[in-house]
Coordinates of all heavy atoms in Angstrom, one line a residue:
R134 N 19.0 -3.0 -4.7 CA 19.6 -2.4 -3.6 C 21.1 -2.0 -3.9 O 21.8 -2.9 -4.4 CB 19.6 -3.4 -2.4 CG 20.2 -2.8 -1.1 CD 19.8 -3.6 0.1 NE 20.3 -5.0 0.0 CZ 19.6 -6.0 0.5 NH1 18.6 -5.9 1.3 NH2 20.1 -7.3 0.3
L135 N 21.4 -0.7 -3.8 CA 22.8 -0.3 -4.2 C 23.8 -0.9 -3.2 O 23.6 -1.0 -2.0 CB 22.9 1.2 -4.1 CG 22.2 2.1 -5.2 CD1 22.6 3.5 -5.0 CD2 22.6 1.6 -6.6
H136 N 25.0 -1.1 -3.8 CA 26.2 -1.4 -3.0 C 26.5 -0.1 -2.2 O 26.5 1.0 -2.8 CB 27.3 -1.8 -3.9 CG 28.6 -2.1 -3.1 ND1 28.6 -3.1 -2.1 CD2 29.8 -1.6 -3.1 CE1 29.8 -3.1 -1.6 NE2 30.6 -2.3 -2.2
C137 N 26.7 -0.2 -0.9 CA 26.9 0.9 0.0 C 25.7 1.8 0.2 O 25.8 2.8 0.9 CB 28.1 1.8 -0.5 SG 29.7 1.0 -0.4
I138 N 24.6 1.5 -0.4 CA 23.3 2.1 -0.2 C 23.4 3.7 -0.1 O 22.8 4.3 0.7 CB 22.6 1.6 1.1 CG1 23.5 1.7 2.3 CG2 22.1 0.2 0.9 CD1 22.7 1.4 3.7
A139 N 24.2 4.2 -1.0 CA 24.3 5.7 -1.1 C 23.0 6.3 -1.5 O 22.3 5.8 -2.3 CB 25.4 6.1 -2.1
W140 N 22.6 7.4 -0.8 CA 21.4 8.1 -1.1 C 21.6 9.6 -1.0 O 21.8 10.1 0.2 CB 20.3 7.6 -0.1 CG 18.9 8.0 -0.5 CD1 18.3 9.2 -0.5 CD2 17.9 7.2 -1.1 NE1 17.1 9.2 -1.0 CE2 16.8 7.9 -1.4 CE3 17.9 5.8 -1.5 CZ2 15.7 7.5 -2.0 CZ3 16.8 5.3 -2.1 CH2 15.7 6.1 -2.3
S141 N 21.6 10.3 -2.1 CA 22.1 11.7 -2.1 C 21.1 12.7 -2.1 O 21.3 13.9 -1.9 CB 23.1 11.9 -3.3 OG 24.2 11.0 -3.2
D142 N 19.8 12.4 -2.4 CA 18.7 13.3 -2.3 C 17.4 12.6 -2.1 O 17.4 11.3 -2.0 CB 18.7 14.3 -3.6 CG 18.3 13.6 -4.9 OD1 17.6 12.5 -4.8 OD2 18.7 14.1 -5.9
W143 N 16.3 13.3 -2.1 CA 15.1 12.7 -1.7 C 14.5 11.7 -2.7 O 14.1 10.5 -2.4 CB 14.0 13.7 -1.4 CG 14.3 14.5 -0.1 CD1 14.7 15.8 -0.1 CD2 14.2 14.0 1.2 NE1 14.9 16.2 1.3 CE2 14.6 15.1 2.1 CE3 13.9 12.8 1.8 CZ2 14.6 15.0 3.4 CZ3 13.9 12.7 3.2 CH2 14.3 13.8 4.0
T144 N 14.4 12.1 -4.0 CA 13.6 11.3 -4.9 C 14.2 10.9 -6.2 O 13.6 10.3 -7.0 CB 12.2 12.0 -5.2 OG1 12.5 13.3 -5.8 CG2 11.4 12.2 -3.9
S145 N 15.4 11.4 -6.5 CA 16.1 11.1 -7.8 C 16.2 9.6 -7.9 O 16.1 9.0 -9.0 CB 17.4 11.7 -7.9 OG 17.3 13.1 -8.0
Q146 N 16.6 8.9 -6.8 CA 16.8 7.4 -7.0 C 15.6 6.7 -7.5 O 15.7 5.9 -8.4 CB 17.4 6.8 -5.7 CG 17.8 5.4 -5.8 CD 18.9 5.0 -4.9 OE1 19.9 5.7 -4.8 NE2 18.7 4.0 -4.1
P147 N 14.4 6.8 -6.8 CA 13.3 6.1 -7.4 C 12.9 6.5 -8.8 O 12.5 5.7 -9.6 CB 12.1 6.4 -6.4 CG 12.6 7.5 -5.6 CD 14.1 7.4 -5.6
H148 N 13.1 7.8 -9.2 CA 12.9 8.2 -10.5 C 13.8 7.5 -11.5 O 13.4 7.0 -12.6 CB 13.0 9.7 -10.7 CG 11.8 10.5 -10.2 ND1 10.6 10.3 -10.8 CD2 11.7 11.4 -9.2 CE1 9.7 11.2 -10.2 NE2 10.4 11.8 -9.2
V149 N 15.1 7.4 -11.2 CA 16.1 6.7 -12.0 C 15.8 5.3 -12.1 O 15.8 4.6 -13.2 CB 17.5 7.0 -11.5 CG1 18.5 6.1 -12.3 CG2 17.9 8.5 -11.7
E150 N 15.5 4.7 -10.9 CA 15.1 3.2 -10.9 C 13.9 3.0 -11.8 O 13.9 2.0 -12.6 CB 14.8 2.8 -9.5 CG 16.0 2.7 -8.6 CD 15.7 2.4 -7.2 OE1 14.6 2.9 -6.7 OE2 16.4 1.7 -6.5
R151 N 12.9 3.8 -11.7 CA 11.7 3.6 -12.6 C 12.0 3.6 -14.0 O 11.5 2.9 -14.9 CB 10.6 4.6 -12.2 CG 9.3 4.4 -12.9 CD 8.6 3.2 -12.4 NE 7.4 2.8 -13.1 CZ 7.4 2.0 -14.1 NH1 8.5 1.4 -14.6 NH2 6.2 1.7 -14.7
S152 N 13.0 4.5 -14.4 CA 13.3 4.6 -15.8 C 14.0 3.4 -16.3 O 14.0 3.1 -17.6 CB 14.3 5.8 -16.1 OG 15.6 5.6 -15.5
W153 N 14.6 2.6 -15.4 CA 15.2 1.3 -15.8 C 14.3 0.1 -15.5 O 14.7 -1.0 -15.5 CB 16.5 1.1 -15.1 CG 17.6 2.1 -15.6 CD1 18.0 3.3 -15.0 CD2 18.4 1.9 -16.7 NE1 19.0 3.8 -15.8 CE2 19.2 3.0 -16.9 CE3 18.4 0.9 -17.7 CZ2 20.1 3.2 -17.9 CZ3 19.3 1.0 -18.8 CH2 20.2 2.1 -18.9
G154 N 13.0 0.3 -15.2 CA 12.1 -0.8 -15.0 C 12.1 -1.3 -13.6 O 11.5 -2.4 -13.3
I155 N 12.8 -0.7 -12.7 CA 12.9 -1.2 -11.3 C 11.8 -0.5 -10.4 O 11.7 0.7 -10.4 CB 14.3 -0.9 -10.8 CG1 15.3 -1.8 -11.5 CG2 14.4 -1.1 -9.3 CD1 16.7 -1.4 -11.3
R156 N 11.1 -1.3 -9.7 CA 9.9 -0.8 -9.0 C 9.9 -1.2 -7.5 O 8.9 -1.0 -6.8 CB 8.6 -1.2 -9.7 CG 8.5 -0.5 -11.1 CD 7.1 -0.8 -11.7 NE 6.1 -0.5 -10.7 CZ 5.2 -1.4 -10.3 NH1 5.3 -2.7 -10.7 NH2 4.3 -1.1 -9.4
L157 N 11.0 -1.9 -7.0 CA 11.1 -2.2 -5.6 C 12.4 -1.8 -5.1 O 13.4 -2.4 -5.6 CB 10.8 -3.7 -5.4 CG 10.6 -4.1 -3.9 CD1 9.2 -3.7 -3.4 CD2 10.8 -5.5 -3.7
D158 N 12.5 -0.9 -4.2 CA 13.8 -0.4 -3.7 C 14.0 -0.8 -2.3 O 13.1 -0.6 -1.4 CB 13.7 1.2 -3.8 CG 15.0 1.9 -3.3 OD1 15.1 1.8 -2.0 OD2 15.7 2.4 -4.1
M159 N 15.2 -1.4 -2.0 CA 15.4 -1.9 -0.6 C 16.6 -1.1 0.0 O 17.3 -1.6 0.9 CB 15.7 -3.4 -0.7 CG 14.5 -4.2 -1.0 SD 14.9 -6.0 -0.8 CE 14.9 -6.1 1.0
N160 N 16.8 0.2 -0.3 CA 17.9 0.9 0.1 C 17.8 1.6 1.5 O 18.7 2.1 2.0 CB 18.3 2.0 -0.9 CG 18.9 1.4 -2.1 OD1 20.1 1.0 -2.1 ND2 18.2 1.4 -3.2
Y161 N 16.6 1.5 2.1 CA 16.4 2.0 3.5 C 16.8 0.8 4.4 O 16.1 -0.2 4.4 CB 15.0 2.5 3.7 CG 14.9 3.6 4.7 CD1 15.8 4.7 4.7 CD2 14.1 3.5 5.8 CE1 15.7 5.7 5.6 CE2 14.0 4.5 6.8 CZ 14.8 5.6 6.7 OH 14.8 6.6 7.6
Y162 N 17.8 1.0 5.2 CA 18.6 -0.2 5.7 C 18.9 0.0 7.1 O 19.5 1.1 7.5 CB 19.8 -0.1 4.8 CG 20.8 -1.2 4.8 CD1 20.7 -2.3 3.9 CD2 21.9 -1.1 5.6 CE1 21.7 -3.2 3.9 CE2 22.9 -2.1 5.6 CZ 22.8 -3.1 4.7 OH 23.8 -4.1 4.7
N163 N 18.6 -0.9 8.0 CA 18.9 -0.8 9.4 C 20.3 -1.0 9.8 O 20.8 -2.1 10.1 CB 18.0 -1.9 10.2 CG 16.6 -1.5 10.2 OD1 16.0 -1.0 9.2 ND2 15.9 -1.6 11.4
W164 N 21.1 0.0 9.7 CA 22.5 0.1 9.8 C 22.9 1.5 10.1 O 22.2 2.4 9.6 CB 23.1 -0.5 8.5 CG 24.7 -0.6 8.5 CD1 25.4 -1.7 8.9 CD2 25.6 0.4 8.1 NE1 26.7 -1.4 8.8 CE2 26.9 -0.1 8.2 CE3 25.4 1.7 7.5 CZ2 28.0 0.6 7.9 CZ3 26.5 2.4 7.2 CH2 27.8 1.9 7.4
P165 N 24.0 1.8 10.7 CA 25.1 0.9 11.3 C 24.7 0.4 12.7 O 23.8 1.0 13.4 CB 26.3 1.8 11.3 CG 25.7 3.2 11.6 CD 24.4 3.2 10.8
P166 N 25.4 -0.6 13.2 CA 25.1 -1.1 14.5 C 25.2 -0.1 15.6 O 24.4 -0.2 16.6 CB 26.1 -2.2 14.7 CG 26.5 -2.6 13.3 CD 26.4 -1.4 12.5
T167 N 26.1 0.9 15.5 CA 26.2 1.9 16.5 C 25.0 2.8 16.6 O 24.7 3.4 17.7 CB 27.4 2.8 16.2 OG1 27.3 3.3 14.9 CG2 28.7 2.0 16.4
W168 N 24.2 2.9 15.6 CA 22.9 3.6 15.6 C 21.8 2.6 16.1 O 20.9 3.0 16.9 CB 22.5 4.1 14.2 CG 23.3 5.3 13.8 CD1 24.4 5.8 14.4 CD2 23.1 6.0 12.6 NE1 24.9 6.9 13.6 CE2 24.1 7.0 12.5 CE3 22.1 6.0 11.6 CZ2 24.2 8.0 11.5 CZ3 22.2 6.9 10.6 CH2 23.2 7.9 10.5
I169 N 21.8 1.4 15.6 CA 20.7 0.5 15.9 C 20.8 0.0 17.4 O 19.7 -0.1 18.0 CB 20.7 -0.7 15.0 CG1 20.6 -0.3 13.5 CG2 19.6 -1.7 15.3 CD1 19.4 0.5 13.2
Q170 N 22.0 -0.2 17.9 CA 22.2 -0.6 19.3 C 21.3 -1.8 19.7 O 20.7 -1.8 20.8 CB 21.9 0.6 20.2 CG 22.9 1.8 19.9 CD 22.7 3.0 20.9 OE1 21.9 2.9 21.8 NE2 23.3 4.1 20.6
G171 N 21.3 -2.8 18.8 CA 20.6 -4.0 19.2 C 19.1 -3.9 19.3 O 18.4 -4.7 20.0
R172 N 18.5 -2.8 18.7 CA 17.0 -2.6 18.8 C 16.4 -2.8 17.4 O 16.4 -2.0 16.6 CB 16.8 -1.1 19.2 CG 17.3 -0.8 20.6 CD 17.3 0.7 20.8 NE 18.1 1.4 19.9 CZ 18.3 2.7 19.9 NH1 17.6 3.5 20.8 NH2 19.1 3.3 19.0
P173 N 15.8 -4.0 17.2 CA 15.1 -4.3 15.9 C 13.8 -3.5 15.8 O 13.2 -3.2 16.8 CB 14.8 -5.8 16.0 CG 14.7 -6.1 17.5 CD 15.7 -5.1 18.1
G174 N 13.5 -3.0 14.6 CA 12.3 -2.3 14.5 C 12.1 -1.8 13.1 O 12.8 -2.2 12.2
Y175 N 11.1 -0.9 12.9 CA 10.7 -0.4 11.6 C 11.1 1.0 11.5 O 10.4 1.9 12.0 CB 9.2 -0.6 11.4 CG 8.7 -2.0 11.7 CD1 7.6 -2.2 12.4 CD2 9.5 -3.1 11.2 CE1 7.1 -3.5 12.7 CE2 9.0 -4.4 11.5 CZ 7.9 -4.6 12.2 OH 7.5 -5.9 12.5
M176 N 12.1 1.3 10.7 CA 12.6 2.7 10.6 C 11.6 3.6 9.9 O 11.7 4.8 10.1 CB 14.0 2.7 9.9 CG 15.1 2.0 10.7 SD 16.6 1.8 9.8 CE 17.2 3.5 9.7
T177 N 10.8 3.1 9.1 CA 9.7 3.9 8.5 C 8.4 3.8 9.2 O 7.4 4.4 8.8 CB 9.5 3.4 7.0 OG1 8.9 2.1 7.1 CG2 10.8 3.4 6.2
G178 N 8.4 3.1 10.3 CA 7.1 2.9 11.0 C 6.2 1.8 10.4 O 5.1 1.6 10.8
S179 N 6.8 1.1 9.5 CA 6.0 0.1 8.8 C 6.9 -1.1 8.3 O 8.1 -0.9 8.2 CB 5.3 0.7 7.6 OG 4.6 -0.3 6.8
A180 N 6.2 -2.2 8.1 CA 6.9 -3.3 7.4 C 6.2 -3.7 6.1 O 6.2 -4.8 5.7 CB 7.0 -4.5 8.3
L181 N 5.5 -2.7 5.5 CA 4.8 -2.9 4.3 C 5.4 -2.0 3.2 O 5.9 -0.9 3.4 CB 3.3 -2.6 4.4 CG 2.6 -3.5 5.4 CD1 1.2 -2.9 5.7 CD2 2.4 -4.9 4.9
P182 N 5.5 -2.6 1.9 CA 6.0 -1.7 0.8 C 5.1 -0.5 0.6 O 3.8 -0.7 0.6 CB 5.9 -2.7 -0.4 CG 5.0 -3.8 0.0 CD 5.0 -3.9 1.5
M183 N 5.7 0.6 0.5 CA 5.0 1.9 0.3 C 5.6 2.7 -0.9 O 6.8 2.7 -1.0 CB 5.0 2.7 1.5 CG 4.3 2.1 2.7 SD 4.3 3.2 4.2 CE 6.1 3.2 4.6
R184 N 4.7 3.3 -1.7 CA 5.2 4.1 -2.8 C 5.9 5.3 -2.4 O 5.6 5.9 -1.4 CB 4.1 4.5 -3.8 CG 3.6 3.4 -4.7 CD 2.7 3.9 -5.8 NE 2.2 2.9 -6.7 CZ 1.0 2.3 -6.5 NH1 0.2 2.6 -5.5 NH2 0.6 1.4 -7.4
F185 N 7.0 5.7 -3.1 CA 7.6 6.9 -2.9 C 6.7 8.1 -3.4 O 5.9 7.9 -4.3 CB 9.0 7.0 -3.7 CG 10.1 6.2 -3.1 CD1 10.3 4.9 -3.6 CD2 10.9 6.7 -2.1 CE1 11.3 4.1 -3.0 CE2 11.9 5.9 -1.6 CZ 12.1 4.6 -2.1
G186 N 6.9 9.2 -2.8 CA 6.2 10.4 -3.2 C 7.2 11.5 -3.7 O 8.3 11.7 -3.0
S187 N 6.9 12.2 -4.7 CA 7.7 13.3 -5.2 C 7.5 14.6 -4.3 O 6.6 14.7 -3.5 CB 7.5 13.6 -6.6 OG 6.2 14.1 -6.8
D188 N 8.4 15.6 -4.5 CA 8.3 16.8 -3.7 C 7.1 17.6 -4.0 O 6.7 18.5 -3.2 CB 9.6 17.6 -3.8 CG 9.9 18.0 -5.2 OD1 9.1 17.7 -6.1 OD2 11.0 18.6 -5.4
D189 N 6.3 17.3 -5.1 CA 5.1 18.0 -5.4 C 3.9 17.2 -5.0 O 2.8 17.5 -5.4 CB 5.0 18.5 -6.9 CG 5.1 17.3 -7.8 OD1 5.2 16.1 -7.3 OD2 5.0 17.5 -9.0
G190 N 4.1 16.1 -4.3 CA 3.0 15.3 -3.8 C 2.5 14.2 -4.7 O 1.5 13.5 -4.4
Q191 N 3.2 14.0 -5.8 CA 2.8 13.0 -6.7 C 3.4 11.6 -6.3 O 4.5 11.6 -5.9 CB 3.2 13.3 -8.2 CG 2.6 14.6 -8.7 CD 1.1 14.6 -8.7 OE1 0.5 13.6 -9.3 NE2 0.4 15.6 -8.1
L192 N 2.6 10.5 -6.5 CA 3.2 9.2 -6.3 C 4.2 8.8 -7.4 O 3.9 9.1 -8.5 CB 2.1 8.2 -6.2 CG 1.2 8.2 -4.9 CD1 0.1 7.2 -5.0 CD2 2.0 8.0 -3.7
I193 N 5.2 8.2 -6.9 CA 6.2 7.6 -7.9 C 5.9 6.1 -7.9 O 5.8 5.4 -6.8 CB 7.6 7.8 -7.4 CG1 7.9 9.4 -7.3 CG2 8.6 7.2 -8.4 CD1 9.2 9.7 -6.6
N194 N 5.8 5.5 -9.0 CA 5.4 4.0 -9.1 C 6.6 3.1 -8.8 O 7.0 2.2 -9.6 CB 4.8 3.7 -10.5 CG 4.1 2.4 -10.5 OD1 3.8 1.9 -9.4 ND2 3.9 1.9 -11.7
V195 N 7.3 3.4 -7.7 CA 8.3 2.6 -7.1 C 8.0 2.4 -5.6 O 7.7 3.4 -4.9 CB 9.7 3.2 -7.3 CG1 10.8 2.4 -6.6 CG2 10.0 3.4 -8.8
F196 N 8.1 1.2 -5.1 CA 7.8 0.9 -3.7 C 9.1 0.9 -2.9 O 10.1 0.3 -3.4 CB 7.1 -0.4 -3.6 CG 5.7 -0.4 -4.1 CD1 5.4 -0.8 -5.4 CD2 4.7 -0.1 -3.3 CE1 4.1 -0.8 -5.9 CE2 3.4 -0.1 -3.8 CZ 3.1 -0.4 -5.1
Q197 N 9.1 1.5 -1.8 CA 10.2 1.3 -0.8 C 9.8 0.1 0.1 O 8.8 0.0 0.7 CB 10.3 2.6 0.1 CG 11.5 2.4 1.1 CD 11.5 3.6 2.0 OE1 10.7 3.8 2.9 NE2 12.5 4.4 1.8
Q198 N 10.8 -0.8 0.1 CA 10.7 -2.0 1.0 C 11.9 -1.9 1.9 O 13.0 -2.1 1.5 CB 10.6 -3.3 0.3 CG 10.7 -4.5 1.2 CD 9.6 -4.6 2.2 OE1 8.4 -4.5 1.9 NE2 10.0 -4.8 3.5
E199 N 11.6 -1.6 3.2 CA 12.8 -1.4 4.1 C 13.5 -2.8 4.3 O 12.9 -3.9 4.2 CB 12.3 -1.0 5.5 CG 13.4 -0.7 6.5 CD 12.8 -0.4 7.9 OE1 11.6 -0.2 8.0 OE2 13.6 -0.5 8.8
T200 N 14.8 -2.7 4.5 CA 15.7 -3.8 4.8 C 15.8 -3.8 6.3 O 16.6 -3.0 6.9 CB 17.0 -3.8 4.1 OG1 16.8 -3.8 2.7 CG2 17.9 -4.9 4.6
H201 N 15.1 -4.7 7.0 CA 15.0 -4.7 8.5 C 16.1 -5.5 9.1 O 16.6 -5.1 10.2 CB 13.7 -5.2 9.0 CG 12.5 -4.5 8.4 ND1 11.9 -4.9 7.2 CD2 11.7 -3.5 8.9 CE1 10.9 -4.1 6.9 NE2 10.7 -3.3 8.0
L202 N 16.4 -6.6 8.6 CA 17.3 -7.6 9.2 C 18.6 -7.6 8.4 O 18.7 -8.2 7.3 CB 16.7 -8.9 9.3 CG 15.4 -9.0 10.2 CD1 14.6 -10.3 10.0 CD2 15.9 -8.8 11.7
V203 N 19.7 -7.1 9.0 CA 21.0 -6.9 8.3 C 22.1 -7.7 9.0 O 22.2 -7.5 10.2 CB 21.3 -5.4 8.2 CG1 22.7 -5.2 7.5 CG2 20.2 -4.6 7.5
N204 N 22.8 -8.5 8.2 CA 23.8 -9.3 8.9 C 24.8 -8.5 9.6 O 25.3 -8.9 10.7 CB 24.4 -10.3 7.9 CG 25.2 -9.6 6.8 OD1 24.7 -8.6 6.2 ND2 26.3 -10.1 6.4
E205 N 25.3 -7.4 9.1 CA 26.4 -6.6 9.7 C 25.9 -6.0 11.0 O 26.6 -5.8 12.0 CB 26.9 -5.5 8.8 CG 27.4 -5.9 7.5 CD 26.5 -5.5 6.4 OE1 25.3 -5.6 6.5 OE2 27.1 -5.2 5.3
T206 N 24.6 -5.7 11.1 CA 24.0 -5.1 12.3 C 23.9 -6.1 13.4 O 24.1 -5.8 14.6 CB 22.6 -4.5 12.0 OG1 22.7 -3.5 11.0 CG2 21.9 -4.0 13.2

Side-chain angles (χ1 to χ4, degrees):
R134 183 166 54 210
L135 286 186
H136 182 57
C137 292
I138 55 173
W140 195 284
S141 299
D142 67 28
W143 289 108
T144 60
S145 292
Q146 186 150 308
H148 279 300
V149 171
E150 287 173 326
R151 186 69 186 94
S152 73
W153 289 100
I155 291 168
R156 296 188 45 245
L157 192 79
D158 177 291
M159 293 189 70
N160 286 290
Y161 208 52
Y162 186 94
N163 285 43
W164 181 90
T167 52
W168 287 7
I169 304 302
Q170 296 183 9
R172 298 169 297 181
Y175 308 137
M176 293 172 69
T177 65
S179 175
L181 295 169
M183 297 182 291
R184 282 193 180 95
F185 287 94
S187 64
D188 54 7
D189 62 357
Q191 300 299 308
L192 288 177
I193 303 170
N194 195 17
V195 175
F196 290 92
Q197 181 185 71
Q198 171 60 50
E199 185 189 343
T200 298
H201 304 86
L202 294 168
V203 178
N204 61 315
E205 301 110 322
T206 298

